[in-house]
Amino acid sequence: MGTWDVGAFDNDTAADFGGDLDEVAPRSAVEIPPKPSSARSPALTRPQLLILGRHDQAGRLRTVGRTTTLRPDAACEVAEHLAAAGPGHPWEGVRFAASCGSRDVLDATLVRPDLVAEISADRAVDRGGVWCHALRFKRLRRPMVG
């Protein structure tokens, strides 16, 4: 393998860990496909976490918690079913804290509230029925057809 220069930071010694990187043919390099033109927000195509809600006895959608960061496979599964919320979403104008007790606000993208998620949670729930700790997303529950 050749070097670019003789200084400590001027050679490709780091690349030597990968073997024969200098000898890779130019056409065998990985090509990144062009970005698809889409009107979908990155939050809809690559969700990072979910803010979960449940309808109360009066039919109002109430926040009950947020998930930990979604694994890449889970984010793909969820993204396939997300659709942007239309006008009149029950959480329009609501600001969500980044974590319990935090003053940081999440940059949330509202979606149609028509999915059901299976989660794993501990038993710490506040008086309002909101989980105190982040929830672990397991999978989406498909609608049951009778």
Side-chain angles (χ1 to χ4, degrees):
M1 302 198 92
T3 59
W4 298 322
D5 207 341
V6 292
F9 299 103
D10 295 331
N11 62 34
D12 61 350
T13 305
D16 288 347
F17 291 101
D20 299 323
L21 293 180
D22 285 343
E23 287 75 33
V24 173
R27 282 309 203 187
S28 66
V30 175
E31 292 185 23
I32 299 172
K35 206 179 223 183
S37 61
S38 171
R40 286 177 54 98
S41 157
L44 294 177
T45 57
R46 290 184 311 277
Q48 295 177 5
L49 60 88
L50 303 174
I51 300 171
L52 303 176
R54 176 173 41 211
H55 292 280
D56 65 13
Q57 291 179 344
R60 293 181 302 256
L61 186 61
R62 301 288 186 180
T63 307
V64 295
R66 64 178 280 282
T67 65
T68 57
T69 302
L70 297 176
R71 294 181 327 271
D73 60 322
C76 287
E77 175 190 359
V78 171
E80 290 177 13
H81 302 282
L82 291 180
H89 188 285
W91 293 345
E92 226 169 23
V94 175
R95 294 167 36 130
F96 301 97
S99 61
C100 189
S102 171
R103 291 181 182 246
D104 294 331
V105 177
L106 288 175
D107 181 21
T109 300
L110 298 178
V111 297
R112 281 195 336 240
D114 56 3
L115 299 175
V116 176
E118 182 177 323
I119 58 165
S120 173
D122 61 26
R123 297 176 53 118
V125 179
D126 70 13
R127 288 185 177 172
V130 177
W131 276 284
C132 298
H133 304 121
L135 311 168
R136 288 164 300 287
F137 173 83
K138 294 297 183 183
R139 65 180 173 218
L140 288 178
R141 299 296 296 210
R142 303 293 185 245
M144 294 197 187
V145 179

